[in-house]
Amino acid sequence: MRRYLGEKTVVFSMPAGGSGQVRIIKRKAEETMAGRDNFSGGWDIRVIRSGRKSVALQIDKDLLLTVRAPYRMSDREIREFIEEKSGWIEKNMRKMERLKDEAEPEPAELLTVEDLRELAKAAADHIPERVAFYAPLIGVDWRGITIRNQRSRWGSCSSSGNLNFNCLLMLTPPDIIDYVVVHELCHRREMNHSPLFWCEVEKILPDYKARRKWLKDNGERIMRRMRMR
């Protein structure tokens, strides 16, 4: 189903692991790519339709993949085009990430392997307790919890109910950990980032915007402590 809101632009996220929900992360003009699909990669993707005759790809410095497509090109054809070009996309995503890393100085204190083990252990003790606390408040269940050390994501939720959390969350304040936990649990109700999703988050955390801003302002600095290791 399509909903036209003006300019024909939509942003969505392609989940890693080859399956799951295509998640709308920003709603601008036309909802075209929501639904359940199988993909590889973990890219944030923006589709812009116009009167152009051909399709083109662009990766910006923030690792956002933009697909510029003709009006007549269907969602299915765009997905097939992305999958066909996945090798090129992966290669150039890595290149852009290296350029981004080189442009920014490394933090003074990089985390060691032992540091990451300790953080993972602490996360495995703390985060499941927070999941168990918030899940009944939201009215959802979950299938399993995995703690990872990731360089780009704080958490994720699969369509089957598996939750993943970054051990680096233990370097953030407790209210930020709770925000990420609530965020992922709310995906059990809405597997997207639509207004309905944010309403679910706000029911539990009325100040979620402040917490989200803290993570946006400080998250990159924390994650860069494990870059290039």
Side-chain angles (χ1 to χ4, degrees):
M1 179 178 74
R2 301 181 183 220
R3 184 160 23 158
Y4 296 94
L5 304 173
E7 241 177 49
K8 296 178 175 59
T9 304
V10 66
V11 182
F12 66 94
S13 174
M14 180 179 288
S19 64
Q21 178 81 19
V22 177
R23 299 176 183 175
I24 300 295
I25 64 169
K26 186 175 182 183
R27 187 175 287 188
K28 282 192 176 179
E30 179 194 20
E31 292 184 8
T32 60
M33 307 297 282
R36 295 180 182 275
D37 294 274
N38 293 325
F39 290 108
S40 61
W43 314 307
D44 288 341
I45 303 171
R46 175 176 60 188
V47 177
I48 301 177
R49 284 184 169 87
S50 66
R52 63 183 298 128
K53 295 182 179 180
S54 60
V55 60
L57 299 176
Q58 175 185 341
I59 301 172
D60 67 18
K61 61 182 179 62
D62 294 319
L63 305 183
L64 175 67
L65 173 65
T66 298
V67 183
R68 301 183 183 276
Y71 287 130
R72 67 177 184 276
M73 195 169 188
S74 69
D75 297 347
R76 178 182 58 80
E77 290 172 322
I78 291 175
R79 291 187 176 98
E80 289 175 351
F81 181 80
I82 292 171
E83 290 176 346
E84 179 183 338
K85 299 296 183 180
S86 61
W88 181 92
I89 294 169
E90 289 283 2
K91 177 182 176 181
N92 284 277
M93 282 287 184
R94 289 195 295 269
K95 180 179 178 181
M96 290 299 292
E97 189 167 31
R98 285 197 301 271
L99 291 173
K100 184 178 179 181
D101 287 341
E102 290 170 2
E104 300 175 1
E106 287 296 327
E109 298 181 8
L110 291 177
L111 295 167
T112 66
V113 173
E114 185 58 33
D115 291 334
L116 292 173
R117 288 199 187 104
E118 291 298 319
L119 289 172
K121 181 179 178 181
D125 289 337
H126 180 73
I127 291 179
E129 292 181 356
R130 305 312 292 160
V131 170
F133 175 80
Y134 281 110
L137 298 179
I138 299 169
V140 297
D141 59 6
W142 72 96
R143 185 174 180 181
I145 297 173
T146 302
I147 304 299
R148 304 180 184 277
N149 53 348
Q150 297 174 291
R151 298 180 180 181
S152 61
R153 305 180 76 177
W154 292 107
S156 63
C157 174
S158 73
S159 57
S160 61
N162 289 311
L163 304 173
N164 294 290
F165 295 99
N166 194 329
C167 70
L168 298 183
L169 281 169
M170 302 311 295
L171 298 176
T172 70
D175 62 324
I176 303 304
I177 298 174
D178 283 1
Y179 162 69
V180 175
V181 167
V182 169
H183 184 116
E184 300 309 331
L185 284 172
C186 284
H187 279 311
R188 295 291 287 140
R189 288 195 172 278
E190 297 287 337
M191 284 293 287
N192 50 56
H193 287 90
S194 67
L196 288 176
F197 167 79
W198 292 113
C199 283
E200 293 294 333
V201 175
E202 190 170 26
K203 289 177 186 177
I204 306 300
L205 302 175
D207 65 340
Y208 81 89
K209 290 182 181 179
R211 304 189 195 205
R212 183 174 61 173
K213 184 179 185 304
W214 189 97
L215 200 56
K216 181 178 180 181
D217 292 344
N218 298 279
E220 174 64 14
R221 174 180 54 82
I222 294 172
M223 284 190 172
R224 294 189 75 249
R225 292 186 62 184
M226 63 172 290
R227 295 281 174 87
M228 307 299 291
R229 297 201 68 85

